[in-house]
Amino acid sequence: MAKITLGGNATETTGNLPEIGSKASEFTLTTSELGSRKLSDYNGKKLLLNIFPSVDTGVCATSARKFNESASKLKNTTVLCISRDLPFAQARFCAAEGIENLEMLSDFKDGSFGKEYGLEITNGAFQALHSRAVITLDENHTVLYTEQVPEIGQEPNYQAAINSLQ
C-alpha cells in the first residue's frame, strides 16, 4: 500500500500503482451520459489517466484544466480523468470550465477501478475516494509512467506525464 498524506496527516491506499512495463488491467467506468467505457474501448490509443479524489476540489480541477490544455497537442492520445464523483458533477464541471479535450469517467458504482489499481484511500477524511495519481499507457496499454502524488493537496508532475507519451 502507498503511504500518502492529506493536509500533512498520514493516510494510505489499498495497494500500489501498476508496475511500469506491466499490462494495464481491464476496467469499466461510467461516462457522463451514464454509459460504460472499458479500457479495451481505447485499443490502439495512448492513454493518460489523471486520477483524483473529486473534481470539486481546487487541485483536482486544476489538473483537469492543465491536462485539457495538453491533450490537444498529443497525437493518438486520450486523456481520461477518473474519480468517484457522480457523472453529473463531472459533466457540470466540464460544461462550466469549457473542458473539451478529455473524457471524465466515474468509478462511483463500486470503486472497482480504485481497488484494482491500488488507489482507494483506506482511512481519514477521504476514505473510499481515489488518491491523486497519474498513469500513462502506450497503444497496447502497457504502463509507461506512474506517479502516486505523496500529498493529496499537491499537483502531479504534468511535464513528466506528457513526456512519457512522446
Side-chain angles (χ1 to χ4, degrees), residues 68-133:
N68 181 60
E69 290 171 21
S70 303
S72 61
K73 300 173 189 144
L74 298 171
K75 294 188 191 265
N76 193 38
T77 302
T78 301
V79 176
L80 305 177
C81 287
I82 303 168
S83 69
R84 295 208 63 190
D85 288 302
L86 290 174
F88 314 113
Q90 292 175 332
R92 182 181 63 244
F93 170 80
C94 288
E97 295 287 333
I99 304 270
E100 299 175 341
N101 298 320
L102 53 77
E103 294 181 41
M104 288 277 186
L105 296 174
S106 177
D107 192 22
F108 83 99
K109 288 185 179 178
D110 62 7
S112 60
F113 172 82
K115 290 177 180 90
E116 177 66 29
Y117 281 72
L119 299 159
E120 184 176 352
I121 298 170
T122 61
N123 58 348
F126 281 12
Q127 183 173 350
L129 297 179
H130 297 333
S131 63
R132 183 176 319 288

Short mmCIF file of all heavy atoms in Angstrom, two decimals, residues 68-133:
data_model
loop_
_atom_site.label_atom_id
_atom_site.label_comp_id
_atom_site.label_asym_id
_atom_site.label_seq_id
_atom_site.Cartn_x
_atom_site.Cartn_y
_atom_site.Cartn_z
N ASN A 68 -6.31 19.13 -19.93
CA ASN A 68 -7.17 19.50 -21.05
C ASN A 68 -6.39 20.34 -22.06
O ASN A 68 -6.49 20.13 -23.26
CB ASN A 68 -8.40 20.28 -20.55
CG ASN A 68 -9.34 20.67 -21.66
OD1 ASN A 68 -9.88 19.83 -22.37
ND2 ASN A 68 -9.54 21.97 -21.84
N GLU A 69 -5.58 21.28 -21.58
CA GLU A 69 -4.75 22.11 -22.45
C GLU A 69 -3.72 21.26 -23.20
O GLU A 69 -3.50 21.45 -24.39
CB GLU A 69 -4.00 23.17 -21.64
CG GLU A 69 -4.87 24.25 -21.07
CD GLU A 69 -4.09 25.15 -20.10
OE1 GLU A 69 -2.84 25.19 -20.17
OE2 GLU A 69 -4.75 25.79 -19.27
N SER A 70 -3.10 20.33 -22.51
CA SER A 70 -2.05 19.49 -23.11
C SER A 70 -2.61 18.46 -24.07
O SER A 70 -1.94 18.08 -25.03
CB SER A 70 -1.29 18.75 -22.01
OG SER A 70 -0.75 19.64 -21.09
N ALA A 71 -3.81 18.00 -23.81
CA ALA A 71 -4.38 16.88 -24.56
C ALA A 71 -4.47 17.15 -26.05
O ALA A 71 -4.23 16.26 -26.87
CB ALA A 71 -5.75 16.52 -24.01
N SER A 72 -4.82 18.36 -26.42
CA SER A 72 -5.00 18.66 -27.84
C SER A 72 -3.68 18.60 -28.61
O SER A 72 -3.68 18.49 -29.83
CB SER A 72 -5.65 20.04 -28.01
OG SER A 72 -4.82 21.04 -27.45
N LYS A 73 -2.56 18.65 -27.90
CA LYS A 73 -1.25 18.63 -28.55
C LYS A 73 -0.67 17.22 -28.66
O LYS A 73 0.36 17.03 -29.30
CB LYS A 73 -0.29 19.53 -27.77
CG LYS A 73 -0.74 20.97 -27.72
CD LYS A 73 0.14 21.78 -26.80
CE LYS A 73 -0.50 23.15 -26.62
NZ LYS A 73 -0.34 23.68 -25.30
N LEU A 74 -1.29 16.25 -28.03
CA LEU A 74 -0.77 14.88 -28.02
C LEU A 74 -1.39 14.07 -29.15
O LEU A 74 -2.61 14.02 -29.28
CB LEU A 74 -1.08 14.21 -26.67
CG LEU A 74 -0.45 14.85 -25.45
CD1 LEU A 74 -1.02 14.23 -24.18
CD2 LEU A 74 1.06 14.69 -25.48
N LYS A 75 -0.55 13.43 -29.94
CA LYS A 75 -1.06 12.62 -31.06
C LYS A 75 -1.50 11.24 -30.57
O LYS A 75 -0.84 10.63 -29.74
CB LYS A 75 0.03 12.46 -32.12
CG LYS A 75 0.39 13.78 -32.77
CD LYS A 75 1.32 13.56 -33.93
CE LYS A 75 1.87 14.86 -34.39
NZ LYS A 75 1.27 15.52 -35.42
N ASN A 76 -2.63 10.79 -31.10
CA ASN A 76 -3.16 9.46 -30.82
C ASN A 76 -3.26 9.19 -29.32
O ASN A 76 -2.99 8.09 -28.86
CB ASN A 76 -2.31 8.38 -31.52
CG ASN A 76 -2.99 7.03 -31.51
OD1 ASN A 76 -4.19 6.92 -31.67
ND2 ASN A 76 -2.21 5.99 -31.30
N THR A 77 -3.62 10.20 -28.56
CA THR A 77 -3.68 10.09 -27.10
C THR A 77 -5.00 10.61 -26.58
O THR A 77 -5.47 11.66 -27.01
CB THR A 77 -2.52 10.88 -26.45
OG1 THR A 77 -1.28 10.39 -26.96
CG2 THR A 77 -2.54 10.75 -24.94
N THR A 78 -5.57 9.88 -25.64
CA THR A 78 -6.79 10.30 -24.97
C THR A 78 -6.47 10.48 -23.49
O THR A 78 -5.81 9.64 -22.88
CB THR A 78 -7.91 9.24 -25.13
OG1 THR A 78 -8.17 9.05 -26.52
CG2 THR A 78 -9.19 9.67 -24.43
N VAL A 79 -6.93 11.60 -22.93
CA VAL A 79 -6.79 11.86 -21.51
C VAL A 79 -8.09 11.48 -20.82
O VAL A 79 -9.17 11.94 -21.22
CB VAL A 79 -6.45 13.34 -21.23
CG1 VAL A 79 -6.41 13.61 -19.73
CG2 VAL A 79 -5.13 13.73 -21.89
N LEU A 80 -7.99 10.63 -19.81
CA LEU A 80 -9.14 10.22 -19.02
C LEU A 80 -8.98 10.76 -17.61
O LEU A 80 -7.97 10.50 -16.96
CB LEU A 80 -9.25 8.68 -18.96
CG LEU A 80 -9.30 7.94 -20.29
CD1 LEU A 80 -9.33 6.43 -20.05
CD2 LEU A 80 -10.48 8.38 -21.12
N CYS A 81 -9.95 11.53 -17.15
CA CYS A 81 -9.97 11.99 -15.77
C CYS A 81 -10.91 11.06 -15.01
O CYS A 81 -12.08 10.91 -15.39
CB CYS A 81 -10.46 13.43 -15.69
SG CYS A 81 -9.26 14.62 -16.28
N ILE A 82 -10.40 10.44 -13.97
CA ILE A 82 -11.14 9.39 -13.27
C ILE A 82 -11.25 9.73 -11.78
O ILE A 82 -10.25 10.02 -11.12
CB ILE A 82 -10.43 8.03 -13.44
CG1 ILE A 82 -10.29 7.69 -14.93
CG2 ILE A 82 -11.18 6.93 -12.68
CD1 ILE A 82 -9.37 6.52 -15.22
N SER A 83 -12.49 9.68 -11.29
CA SER A 83 -12.74 9.92 -9.87
C SER A 83 -13.99 9.14 -9.47
O SER A 83 -14.63 8.50 -10.30
CB SER A 83 -12.94 11.42 -9.60
OG SER A 83 -14.15 11.87 -10.16
N ARG A 84 -14.36 9.25 -8.20
CA ARG A 84 -15.60 8.63 -7.72
C ARG A 84 -16.75 9.62 -7.72
O ARG A 84 -17.82 9.33 -7.22
CB ARG A 84 -15.39 8.02 -6.33
CG ARG A 84 -14.38 6.87 -6.42
CD ARG A 84 -14.55 5.82 -5.41
NE ARG A 84 -15.81 5.12 -5.51
CZ ARG A 84 -16.27 4.28 -4.60
NH1 ARG A 84 -15.55 4.03 -3.53
NH2 ARG A 84 -17.43 3.68 -4.74
N ASP A 85 -16.53 10.81 -8.30
CA ASP A 85 -17.61 11.79 -8.42
C ASP A 85 -18.76 11.21 -9.22
O ASP A 85 -18.55 10.38 -10.12
CB ASP A 85 -17.12 13.04 -9.18
CG ASP A 85 -16.17 13.89 -8.39
OD1 ASP A 85 -16.57 14.34 -7.30
OD2 ASP A 85 -15.04 14.13 -8.87
N LEU A 86 -19.95 11.68 -8.94
CA LEU A 86 -21.09 11.30 -9.79
C LEU A 86 -20.87 11.85 -11.19
O LEU A 86 -20.32 12.94 -11.36
CB LEU A 86 -22.40 11.85 -9.22
CG LEU A 86 -22.88 11.20 -7.92
CD1 LEU A 86 -24.10 11.93 -7.39
CD2 LEU A 86 -23.18 9.73 -8.12
N PRO A 87 -21.30 11.12 -12.21
CA PRO A 87 -21.14 11.61 -13.58
C PRO A 87 -21.76 12.98 -13.81
O PRO A 87 -21.26 13.77 -14.61
CB PRO A 87 -21.85 10.53 -14.42
CG PRO A 87 -21.78 9.30 -13.58
CD PRO A 87 -21.88 9.78 -12.16
N PHE A 88 -22.83 13.30 -13.09
CA PHE A 88 -23.49 14.61 -13.24
C PHE A 88 -22.55 15.73 -12.80
O PHE A 88 -22.49 16.79 -13.42
CB PHE A 88 -24.78 14.66 -12.43
CG PHE A 88 -25.63 13.43 -12.60
CD1 PHE A 88 -25.83 12.57 -11.54
CD2 PHE A 88 -26.21 13.12 -13.82
CE1 PHE A 88 -26.60 11.43 -11.69
CE2 PHE A 88 -26.99 11.98 -13.98
CZ PHE A 88 -27.19 11.12 -12.91
N ALA A 89 -21.83 15.53 -11.71
CA ALA A 89 -20.88 16.54 -11.23
C ALA A 89 -19.74 16.70 -12.22
O ALA A 89 -19.30 17.83 -12.50
CB ALA A 89 -20.34 16.14 -9.86
N GLN A 90 -19.26 15.60 -12.78
CA GLN A 90 -18.19 15.67 -13.77
C GLN A 90 -18.65 16.45 -15.01
O GLN A 90 -17.93 17.31 -15.51
CB GLN A 90 -17.74 14.27 -14.18
CG GLN A 90 -17.04 13.51 -13.07
CD GLN A 90 -16.71 12.09 -13.46
OE1 GLN A 90 -17.38 11.47 -14.30
NE2 GLN A 90 -15.65 11.56 -12.87
N ALA A 91 -19.86 16.17 -15.48
CA ALA A 91 -20.41 16.86 -16.66
C ALA A 91 -20.60 18.35 -16.38
O ALA A 91 -20.29 19.19 -17.23
CB ALA A 91 -21.72 16.22 -17.09
N ARG A 92 -21.10 18.66 -15.21
CA ARG A 92 -21.31 20.07 -14.83
C ARG A 92 -19.97 20.81 -14.81
O ARG A 92 -19.86 21.93 -15.33
CB ARG A 92 -21.99 20.14 -13.46
CG ARG A 92 -22.29 21.54 -12.97
CD ARG A 92 -22.95 21.55 -11.59
NE ARG A 92 -22.06 21.00 -10.57
CZ ARG A 92 -22.29 19.88 -9.87
NH1 ARG A 92 -23.40 19.19 -10.06
NH2 ARG A 92 -21.42 19.46 -8.98
N PHE A 93 -18.95 20.20 -14.26
CA PHE A 93 -17.63 20.81 -14.21
C PHE A 93 -17.11 21.07 -15.63
O PHE A 93 -16.64 22.17 -15.93
CB PHE A 93 -16.65 19.91 -13.44
CG PHE A 93 -15.22 20.36 -13.56
CD1 PHE A 93 -14.75 21.40 -12.79
CD2 PHE A 93 -14.36 19.75 -14.46
CE1 PHE A 93 -13.42 21.84 -12.91
CE2 PHE A 93 -13.05 20.18 -14.59
CZ PHE A 93 -12.58 21.21 -13.82
N CYS A 94 -17.19 20.08 -16.49
CA CYS A 94 -16.68 20.24 -17.87
C CYS A 94 -17.43 21.35 -18.60
O CYS A 94 -16.82 22.15 -19.32
CB CYS A 94 -16.78 18.93 -18.63
SG CYS A 94 -15.58 17.70 -18.08
N ALA A 95 -18.73 21.41 -18.43
CA ALA A 95 -19.53 22.45 -19.09
C ALA A 95 -19.13 23.84 -18.58
O ALA A 95 -18.94 24.77 -19.36
CB ALA A 95 -21.01 22.20 -18.87
N ALA A 96 -18.99 23.98 -17.29
CA ALA A 96 -18.65 25.28 -16.69
C ALA A 96 -17.24 25.73 -17.07
O ALA A 96 -16.99 26.92 -17.22
CB ALA A 96 -18.78 25.20 -15.17
N GLU A 97 -16.32 24.78 -17.24
CA GLU A 97 -14.92 25.10 -17.50
C GLU A 97 -14.56 25.08 -18.98
O GLU A 97 -13.42 25.39 -19.33
CB GLU A 97 -14.01 24.10 -16.75
CG GLU A 97 -14.12 24.19 -15.26
CD GLU A 97 -13.45 25.43 -14.69
OE1 GLU A 97 -12.50 25.95 -15.32
OE2 GLU A 97 -13.86 25.88 -13.62
N GLY A 98 -15.48 24.66 -19.85
CA GLY A 98 -15.17 24.57 -21.27
C GLY A 98 -14.18 23.45 -21.58
O GLY A 98 -13.39 23.54 -22.52
N ILE A 99 -14.23 22.40 -20.80
CA ILE A 99 -13.32 21.25 -20.98
C ILE A 99 -13.85 20.40 -22.14
O ILE A 99 -14.96 19.89 -22.09
CB ILE A 99 -13.25 20.39 -19.69
CG1 ILE A 99 -12.85 21.24 -18.51
CG2 ILE A 99 -12.41 19.15 -19.89
CD1 ILE A 99 -11.41 21.36 -18.21
N GLU A 100 -13.02 20.24 -23.18
CA GLU A 100 -13.47 19.51 -24.37
C GLU A 100 -12.47 18.47 -24.86
O GLU A 100 -12.81 17.67 -25.73
CB GLU A 100 -13.74 20.50 -25.51
CG GLU A 100 -14.82 21.50 -25.18
CD GLU A 100 -14.98 22.55 -26.28
OE1 GLU A 100 -14.04 22.73 -27.09
OE2 GLU A 100 -16.04 23.18 -26.30
N ASN A 101 -11.24 18.50 -24.36
CA ASN A 101 -10.20 17.64 -24.92
C ASN A 101 -9.89 16.41 -24.09
O ASN A 101 -8.87 15.77 -24.30
CB ASN A 101 -8.91 18.46 -25.09
CG ASN A 101 -9.09 19.60 -26.06
OD1 ASN A 101 -9.74 19.47 -27.07
ND2 ASN A 101 -8.55 20.75 -25.72
N LEU A 102 -10.74 16.09 -23.14
CA LEU A 102 -10.53 14.90 -22.33
C LEU A 102 -11.87 14.28 -21.99
O LEU A 102 -12.92 14.87 -22.25
CB LEU A 102 -9.72 15.23 -21.06
CG LEU A 102 -10.19 16.36 -20.15
CD1 LEU A 102 -11.37 15.96 -19.29
CD2 LEU A 102 -9.04 16.81 -19.28
N GLU A 103 -11.83 13.09 -21.45
CA GLU A 103 -13.05 12.40 -21.03
C GLU A 103 -13.05 12.25 -19.52
O GLU A 103 -12.05 11.89 -18.93
CB GLU A 103 -13.12 11.00 -21.66
CG GLU A 103 -13.28 11.01 -23.16
CD GLU A 103 -13.37 9.60 -23.73
OE1 GLU A 103 -14.05 8.75 -23.13
OE2 GLU A 103 -12.74 9.36 -24.77
N MET A 104 -14.20 12.53 -18.93
CA MET A 104 -14.40 12.31 -17.50
C MET A 104 -15.08 10.95 -17.34
O MET A 104 -16.08 10.67 -18.01
CB MET A 104 -15.29 13.38 -16.89
CG MET A 104 -14.65 14.72 -16.76
SD MET A 104 -13.67 14.76 -15.26
CE MET A 104 -13.20 16.47 -15.25
N LEU A 105 -14.54 10.13 -16.46
CA LEU A 105 -15.12 8.82 -16.18
C LEU A 105 -15.25 8.65 -14.67
O LEU A 105 -14.39 9.07 -13.90
CB LEU A 105 -14.24 7.71 -16.76
CG LEU A 105 -14.11 7.71 -18.28
CD1 LEU A 105 -13.10 6.66 -18.73
CD2 LEU A 105 -15.46 7.46 -18.95
N SER A 106 -16.34 8.00 -14.26
CA SER A 106 -16.64 7.84 -12.85
C SER A 106 -16.55 6.38 -12.41
O SER A 106 -16.99 5.48 -13.11
CB SER A 106 -18.05 8.36 -12.56
OG SER A 106 -18.37 8.15 -11.20
N ASP A 107 -16.01 6.20 -11.22
CA ASP A 107 -15.91 4.89 -10.57
C ASP A 107 -16.88 4.84 -9.38
O ASP A 107 -16.64 4.18 -8.39
CB ASP A 107 -14.46 4.69 -10.11
CG ASP A 107 -14.13 3.28 -9.67
OD1 ASP A 107 -14.83 2.34 -10.07
OD2 ASP A 107 -13.15 3.13 -8.90
N PHE A 108 -18.00 5.57 -9.51
CA PHE A 108 -18.92 5.74 -8.38
C PHE A 108 -19.69 4.48 -8.01
O PHE A 108 -20.08 4.32 -6.87
CB PHE A 108 -19.90 6.90 -8.64
CG PHE A 108 -21.10 6.54 -9.47
CD1 PHE A 108 -22.33 6.28 -8.85
CD2 PHE A 108 -21.03 6.46 -10.85
CE1 PHE A 108 -23.44 5.95 -9.59
CE2 PHE A 108 -22.14 6.13 -11.60
CZ PHE A 108 -23.36 5.88 -10.98
N LYS A 109 -19.90 3.58 -8.95
CA LYS A 109 -20.77 2.43 -8.68
C LYS A 109 -20.22 1.49 -7.62
O LYS A 109 -20.91 1.15 -6.68
CB LYS A 109 -21.06 1.67 -9.98
CG LYS A 109 -21.98 2.44 -10.89
CD LYS A 109 -22.34 1.64 -12.11
CE LYS A 109 -23.29 2.43 -12.98
NZ LYS A 109 -23.63 1.70 -14.20
N ASP A 110 -18.98 1.05 -7.80
CA ASP A 110 -18.45 0.09 -6.83
C ASP A 110 -16.98 0.30 -6.47
O ASP A 110 -16.43 -0.43 -5.67
CB ASP A 110 -18.65 -1.34 -7.34
CG ASP A 110 -17.92 -1.63 -8.64
OD1 ASP A 110 -17.15 -0.78 -9.12
OD2 ASP A 110 -18.12 -2.73 -9.19
N GLY A 111 -16.39 1.31 -7.07
CA GLY A 111 -14.99 1.60 -6.75
C GLY A 111 -14.01 0.55 -7.23
O GLY A 111 -12.87 0.53 -6.79
N SER A 112 -14.43 -0.32 -8.15
CA SER A 112 -13.58 -1.43 -8.57
C SER A 112 -12.29 -0.96 -9.26
O SER A 112 -11.25 -1.60 -9.09
CB SER A 112 -14.34 -2.40 -9.47
OG SER A 112 -14.81 -1.74 -10.63
N PHE A 113 -12.35 0.14 -10.00
CA PHE A 113 -11.14 0.67 -10.63
C PHE A 113 -10.12 1.05 -9.54
O PHE A 113 -8.95 0.67 -9.62
CB PHE A 113 -11.46 1.87 -11.51
CG PHE A 113 -10.24 2.58 -12.03
CD1 PHE A 113 -9.58 2.11 -13.15
CD2 PHE A 113 -9.75 3.71 -11.40
CE1 PHE A 113 -8.44 2.74 -13.63
CE2 PHE A 113 -8.61 4.36 -11.87
CZ PHE A 113 -7.96 3.87 -12.98
N GLY A 114 -10.57 1.79 -8.55
CA GLY A 114 -9.68 2.22 -7.47
C GLY A 114 -9.08 1.05 -6.71
O GLY A 114 -7.91 1.07 -6.34
N LYS A 115 -9.88 0.03 -6.50
CA LYS A 115 -9.37 -1.16 -5.79
C LYS A 115 -8.35 -1.89 -6.66
O LYS A 115 -7.27 -2.27 -6.18
CB LYS A 115 -10.53 -2.08 -5.43
CG LYS A 115 -11.43 -1.51 -4.34
CD LYS A 115 -12.60 -2.44 -4.06
CE LYS A 115 -13.50 -1.89 -2.99
NZ LYS A 115 -14.57 -1.06 -3.46
N GLU A 116 -8.67 -2.12 -7.94
CA GLU A 116 -7.78 -2.85 -8.85
C GLU A 116 -6.45 -2.15 -9.05
O GLU A 116 -5.41 -2.79 -9.14
CB GLU A 116 -8.47 -3.05 -10.20
CG GLU A 116 -7.63 -3.74 -11.25
CD GLU A 116 -7.29 -5.19 -10.94
OE1 GLU A 116 -8.09 -5.85 -10.24
OE2 GLU A 116 -6.23 -5.66 -11.37
N TYR A 117 -6.48 -0.83 -9.12
CA TYR A 117 -5.27 -0.05 -9.38
C TYR A 117 -4.58 0.42 -8.10
O TYR A 117 -3.61 1.17 -8.15
CB TYR A 117 -5.59 1.12 -10.31
CG TYR A 117 -5.69 0.70 -11.77
CD1 TYR A 117 -6.77 -0.05 -12.24
CD2 TYR A 117 -4.70 1.03 -12.66
CE1 TYR A 117 -6.85 -0.46 -13.55
CE2 TYR A 117 -4.76 0.64 -13.99
CZ TYR A 117 -5.85 -0.11 -14.43
OH TYR A 117 -5.91 -0.51 -15.75
N GLY A 118 -5.06 -0.02 -6.94
CA GLY A 118 -4.41 0.30 -5.67
C GLY A 118 -4.57 1.74 -5.24
O GLY A 118 -3.74 2.27 -4.50
N LEU A 119 -5.64 2.40 -5.65
CA LEU A 119 -5.83 3.83 -5.43
C LEU A 119 -6.80 4.20 -4.31
O LEU A 119 -6.86 5.35 -3.92
CB LEU A 119 -6.38 4.46 -6.72
CG LEU A 119 -5.50 4.35 -7.94
CD1 LEU A 119 -6.32 4.52 -9.19
CD2 LEU A 119 -4.40 5.36 -7.87
N GLU A 120 -7.57 3.26 -3.84
CA GLU A 120 -8.60 3.58 -2.85
C GLU A 120 -7.95 3.96 -1.52
O GLU A 120 -7.12 3.24 -0.98
CB GLU A 120 -9.54 2.39 -2.64
CG GLU A 120 -10.67 2.72 -1.70
CD GLU A 120 -11.67 1.59 -1.55
OE1 GLU A 120 -11.58 0.59 -2.29
OE2 GLU A 120 -12.53 1.71 -0.68
N ILE A 121 -8.35 5.12 -1.01
CA ILE A 121 -7.85 5.60 0.27
C ILE A 121 -8.58 4.83 1.37
O ILE A 121 -9.81 4.71 1.36
CB ILE A 121 -8.06 7.12 0.40
CG1 ILE A 121 -7.26 7.84 -0.69
CG2 ILE A 121 -7.66 7.60 1.80
CD1 ILE A 121 -7.54 9.32 -0.81
N THR A 122 -7.82 4.28 2.33
CA THR A 122 -8.39 3.36 3.31
C THR A 122 -8.83 4.00 4.62
O THR A 122 -9.54 3.38 5.39
CB THR A 122 -7.39 2.23 3.64
OG1 THR A 122 -6.21 2.82 4.20
CG2 THR A 122 -7.05 1.42 2.42
N ASN A 123 -8.40 5.25 4.88
CA ASN A 123 -8.76 5.88 6.15
C ASN A 123 -8.71 7.39 6.01
O ASN A 123 -8.26 7.92 5.00
CB ASN A 123 -7.83 5.40 7.27
CG ASN A 123 -6.37 5.69 6.98
OD1 ASN A 123 -5.99 6.04 5.87
ND2 ASN A 123 -5.54 5.52 7.98
N GLY A 124 -9.19 8.08 7.01
CA GLY A 124 -9.14 9.53 7.02
C GLY A 124 -10.33 10.18 6.33
O GLY A 124 -11.29 9.51 5.94
N ALA A 125 -10.24 11.49 6.15
CA ALA A 125 -11.35 12.28 5.60
C ALA A 125 -11.75 11.87 4.18
O ALA A 125 -12.91 12.03 3.80
CB ALA A 125 -10.98 13.76 5.63
N PHE A 126 -10.81 11.36 3.40
CA PHE A 126 -11.10 10.98 2.01
C PHE A 126 -11.26 9.47 1.85
O PHE A 126 -11.13 8.93 0.75
CB PHE A 126 -10.01 11.49 1.07
CG PHE A 126 -10.11 12.95 0.72
CD1 PHE A 126 -10.97 13.82 1.37
CD2 PHE A 126 -9.34 13.46 -0.31
CE1 PHE A 126 -11.05 15.15 1.02
CE2 PHE A 126 -9.42 14.80 -0.67
CZ PHE A 126 -10.28 15.65 0.00
N GLN A 127 -11.53 8.76 2.91
CA GLN A 127 -11.69 7.30 2.85
C GLN A 127 -12.67 6.92 1.75
O GLN A 127 -13.72 7.53 1.60
CB GLN A 127 -12.19 6.77 4.19
CG GLN A 127 -12.30 5.26 4.21
CD GLN A 127 -12.64 4.72 5.60
OE1 GLN A 127 -12.63 5.45 6.58
NE2 GLN A 127 -12.93 3.45 5.66
N ALA A 128 -12.30 5.92 0.96
CA ALA A 128 -13.06 5.35 -0.16
C ALA A 128 -12.93 6.15 -1.45
O ALA A 128 -13.32 5.67 -2.50
CB ALA A 128 -14.53 5.14 0.18
N LEU A 129 -12.35 7.36 -1.40
CA LEU A 129 -12.07 8.09 -2.63
C LEU A 129 -10.74 7.61 -3.20
O LEU A 129 -10.02 6.85 -2.57
CB LEU A 129 -12.03 9.60 -2.36
CG LEU A 129 -13.33 10.23 -1.87
CD1 LEU A 129 -13.12 11.73 -1.61
CD2 LEU A 129 -14.46 10.00 -2.87
N HIS A 130 -10.41 8.07 -4.41
CA HIS A 130 -9.13 7.70 -5.03
C HIS A 130 -8.04 8.69 -4.62
O HIS A 130 -8.31 9.88 -4.46
CB HIS A 130 -9.23 7.71 -6.55
CG HIS A 130 -10.19 6.71 -7.10
ND1 HIS A 130 -10.52 5.54 -6.47
CD2 HIS A 130 -10.93 6.71 -8.24
CE1 HIS A 130 -11.39 4.87 -7.19
NE2 HIS A 130 -11.66 5.56 -8.26
N SER A 131 -6.84 8.18 -4.51
CA SER A 131 -5.70 9.06 -4.28
C SER A 131 -5.39 9.81 -5.58
O SER A 131 -5.91 9.46 -6.64
CB SER A 131 -4.48 8.24 -3.84
OG SER A 131 -4.08 7.34 -4.85
N ARG A 132 -4.55 10.83 -5.49
CA ARG A 132 -4.15 11.58 -6.68
C ARG A 132 -2.99 10.83 -7.33
O ARG A 132 -1.95 10.60 -6.70
CB ARG A 132 -3.72 12.99 -6.32
CG ARG A 132 -3.35 13.84 -7.53
CD ARG A 132 -3.02 15.27 -7.17
NE ARG A 132 -3.88 15.84 -6.15
CZ ARG A 132 -5.17 16.20 -6.34
NH1 ARG A 132 -5.73 16.03 -7.51
NH2 ARG A 132 -5.88 16.71 -5.34
N ALA A 133 -3.18 10.44 -8.58
CA ALA A 133 -2.17 9.67 -9.30
C ALA A 133 -2.29 9.92 -10.79
O ALA A 133 -3.34 10.35 -11.27
CB ALA A 133 -2.32 8.18 -9.00
#
